[in-house]
Every structure is written in C-alpha cells, then in structure tokens.
Amino acid sequence: PGELHVWHATLEIGAHFVAWSKEQCAEEERERAARFVFERDRHHFLISRGLLRGLLARYLECEPVQIQLRADRYGKLHLNNPTPVPVQFNISHSHGGWLLAVTVDRPVGVDLEWERPDLDYRSLVPSVFSTHERAQLASLPPQLGRSGFFAGWSRKEARLQALSPGLSPALASFAVAF
C-alpha cells in the first residue's frame, strides 16, 4: 500500500519467451494472437500478456495461468477473479516498448508513446493542451518541442487511464505538469 511500481520492458525478446508467454495465456488470448496478420504483432501481443501475467502472479502469489483478465468497454484490463490483495494495474505499449504500473488499492494509469517523427504535433497542440500547458510548451527550446508534446500527451493519457471511464473528457480541459 502507498507504493507505485513501474516495470519497463522491450517486446523484442527471443522466441523462447514467446513460447513461454503463449503457455501462460488464456485460450482466448492465444486465439486473439493468432488473428494478427504479422508475426511480429502476434509475438508482441503474447509477450505483453506473458509479462503482465508473470508480474501480476508475483504480486498475487499464484501461477500466471491462474490470473483471469477482463477488458472493460474501453479496453482497459482488470483482474476478473477475487484476489487477496486489491492490485490495480495499467499497461501501455508502443513501438516495441512495454510499460506496466502496479499499485494496491488505488487506480493507476500509464502511457507509453513513440515520438513519431512524421506527426505534425503542432497542429494538435490547441486541442490537446490547456492555455497554461500551451504556454509551457511554447517556452521550451525549439529542439525540445516534439519531446515536450509527447511528454505532456503521455501524462494526460495516463491520467485518463487512471481516473476516467475511457477517453471522454477533452484533453485540453485539464492540465498536467510538463
């Protein structure tokens, strides 16, 4: 209680870990993985679930295959079986990276974004950031603008994951620290 644990990994792991991860998954997860067109996407999905199940199993002192997961209508995963510890978690993945935040007894959100070099982030600033945040972003040196945008964007998405049912509030309606 009172702690936040954050785990980071790469989804670019060897075939032996893909096989282990597949064994830890529920049948529904294996079927979902099989529907991915590209092998890399199948592997990333299985590894993501394997990592999630493996780490949650350590917190819950059980086997990874015993963990029952359910997605709410917004896609956020939750534990579906009663557990001795009220673990809350949130995962994010982007461009081969993976992030997991774990707490006890409080909602948690996390977001991982790839800083896409082709994204015209400046056109999104008015719809994403509050007036105060736009001023903070404008005060950054030009070479840090893209990184600042993605840092702010990630913080907003993580907050929404923790506190809101889906991405319903307008991103510019609340502020986060840069």
Side-chain angles (χ1 to χ4, degrees):
E3 293 184 7
L4 167 67
H5 295 182
V6 179
W7 299 85
H8 180 260
T10 179
L11 297 176
E12 303 292 338
I13 303 176
H16 67 284
F17 199 78
V18 174
W20 178 87
S21 295
K22 188 174 184 178
E23 290 174 10
Q24 308 315 307
C25 287
E27 183 61 32
E28 174 188 321
E29 291 168 317
R30 290 190 292 271
E31 289 170 1
R32 181 174 168 193
R35 290 192 299 266
F36 284 99
V37 174
F38 299 107
E39 181 179 63
R40 180 180 180 197
D41 295 335
R42 274 193 302 279
H43 288 181
H44 283 188
F45 178 80
L46 290 168
I47 291 167
S48 175
R49 290 299 171 91
L51 288 168
L52 174 63
R53 288 173 167 280
L55 287 165
L56 289 178
R58 297 204 50 184
Y59 287 101
L60 299 171
E61 299 179 345
C62 67
E63 293 299 317
V65 295
Q66 294 176 299
I67 293 172
Q68 297 173 22
L69 299 170
R70 69 171 170 79
D72 65 20
R73 68 182 196 161
Y74 302 103
K76 184 175 179 179
L77 291 174
H78 301 274
L79 291 169
N80 199 37
N81 47 323
T83 60
V85 180
V87 170
Q88 299 281 324
F89 68 94
N90 192 230
I91 63 170
S92 182
H93 49 84
S94 178
H95 209 65
W98 182 87
L99 202 58
L100 168 69
V102 181
T103 63
V104 172
D105 236 1
R106 69 178 66 188
V108 64
V110 68
D111 187 55
L112 182 65
E113 295 289 338
W114 173 51
E115 290 186 19
R116 289 181 36 205
D118 63 331
L119 179 70
D120 177 18
Y121 73 92
R122 288 179 191 91
S123 67
L124 298 173
V125 169
S127 63
V128 172
F129 295 117
S130 68
T131 304
H132 176 71
E133 291 168 323
R134 290 193 299 266
Q136 286 182 307
L137 189 59
S139 73
L140 294 175
Q143 68 271 22
L144 297 180
R146 180 174 303 280
S147 293
F149 172 84
F150 279 101
W153 175 281
S154 294
R155 287 182 179 113
K156 284 180 169 274
E157 287 215 3
R159 180 177 184 259
L160 291 172
Q161 284 291 324
L163 302 176
S164 297
L167 299 177
S168 52
L171 289 172
S173 70
F174 64 92
V176 296
F178 269 70

